[in-house]
Amino acid sequence: MDEQKRYMEVMLGGGNKNANLAKFLENDRKVLRFFAVWDDICDDNHTRRPFTINFFLADDSVELRETYPVNSGRDAFPVFLRRQKLAKSPVQASSKPGTSGFYLAPDFVIGSRVHILGREFFIHDADPFSREYMLAQYGIQMVAAIDVEPPRPAPHQVVIPPYNGFGSVEDTMGSVLNLMPKAPKKDWKQLMTIDDKEILRFRARMFDS
């Protein structure tokens, strides 16, 4: 009813106070930045994907951007969610922005989990401006950043098989290091340091069994 009344006032040339104008002018270009991760269980390797949540104080809208690690192998489409009012539930009963049905700044706290597009994001850090703003406006003291780096697997130890008796030891190593064995390279350093006139001589005799 209130929306219809305001619409009729505007159509008749009446005044229409913009309640959000002061908030927009005060908080324009002020953005809270939170860092979160999402465990992609649909991936075969259960990849932990990092994201940046931008909360715009001018209109309480949210933008979600994915952060791509170096050599991630993913196509560069960083905007995961365009800037918009973000509802806490897919089925929103109230259509008025600013109510409890939409995410507001106090909902983004380090250590909390937020649900965006049916995915659960864990907030583990925030930038300095967001920490200062949350403390000054809401009295929320942000905790230290939480380490969300997954444990790295132990490096695979390559076991060198024993000498198989064919050829030299270098030949055996050639079949270990390469799928297609290559001829072993000469040790030029040894050839340059040792005089080619130095010869080792051994005496032997036939052993008659």
Side-chain angles (χ1 to χ4, degrees):
M1 186 64 182
D2 294 337
E3 294 180 359
Q4 184 179 1
K5 182 179 179 181
R6 288 198 298 267
Y7 175 76
M8 295 300 296
E9 289 179 353
V10 173
M11 294 298 295
L12 295 175
N16 182 26
K17 297 181 179 180
N18 190 346
N20 298 324
L21 180 59
K23 180 179 179 180
F24 175 82
L25 295 177
E26 181 182 357
N27 298 312
D28 186 26
R29 298 185 181 182
K30 293 183 180 180
V31 182
L32 302 182
R33 184 173 290 105
F34 304 92
F35 305 100
V37 291
W38 166 49
D39 291 331
D40 188 3
I41 60 176
C42 297
D43 191 359
D44 294 337
N45 299 324
H46 290 185
T47 307
R48 177 165 291 178
R49 299 167 62 175
F51 287 82
T52 301
I53 301 176
N54 296 323
F55 184 86
F56 298 86
L57 296 174
D59 56 355
D60 295 337
S61 59
V62 178
E63 180 188 51
L64 185 62
R65 287 179 170 268
E66 184 173 4
T67 305
Y68 292 94
V70 179
N71 296 330
S72 63
R74 298 183 180 275
D75 294 331
F77 296 101
V79 181
F80 198 81
L81 176 70
R82 292 183 178 180
R83 180 178 175 179
Q84 59 183 275
K85 300 282 187 179
L86 183 60
K88 295 181 179 180
S89 176
V91 181
Q92 186 59 47
S94 175
S95 60
K96 296 181 180 180
T99 60
S100 59
F102 292 85
Y103 278 107
L104 301 177
D107 296 322
F108 298 95
V109 182
I110 297 178
S112 63
R113 300 178 184 272
V114 295
H115 293 80
I116 303 176
L117 300 179
R119 298 166 176 83
E120 186 179 71
F121 293 84
F122 177 74
I123 301 176
H124 63 89
D125 197 5
D127 65 346
F129 172 75
S130 302
R131 293 174 178 272
E132 296 174 1
Y133 181 86
M134 296 292 284
L135 181 61
Q137 293 295 122
Y138 304 102
I140 300 177
Q141 179 67 44
M142 290 284 192
V143 299
I146 303 174
D147 185 14
V148 294
E149 188 68 23
R152 297 184 178 181
H156 179 67
Q157 299 292 335
V158 179
V159 180
I160 300 176
Y163 174 55
N164 55 15
F166 294 93
S168 61
V169 179
E170 290 77 7
D171 294 330
T172 302
M173 286 301 302
S175 62
V176 173
L177 300 176
N178 301 282
L179 183 61
M180 300 295 293
K182 300 179 181 179
K185 297 181 179 180
K186 295 182 179 180
D187 191 352
W188 294 103
K189 182 178 180 181
Q190 182 180 3
L191 294 176
M192 295 297 292
T193 56
I194 300 178
D195 190 0
D196 58 351
K197 294 182 179 179
E198 294 182 2
I199 303 175
L200 300 180
R201 292 183 174 88
F202 301 91
R203 290 185 178 181
R205 65 177 182 178
M206 297 291 295
F207 180 75
D208 190 5
S209 59

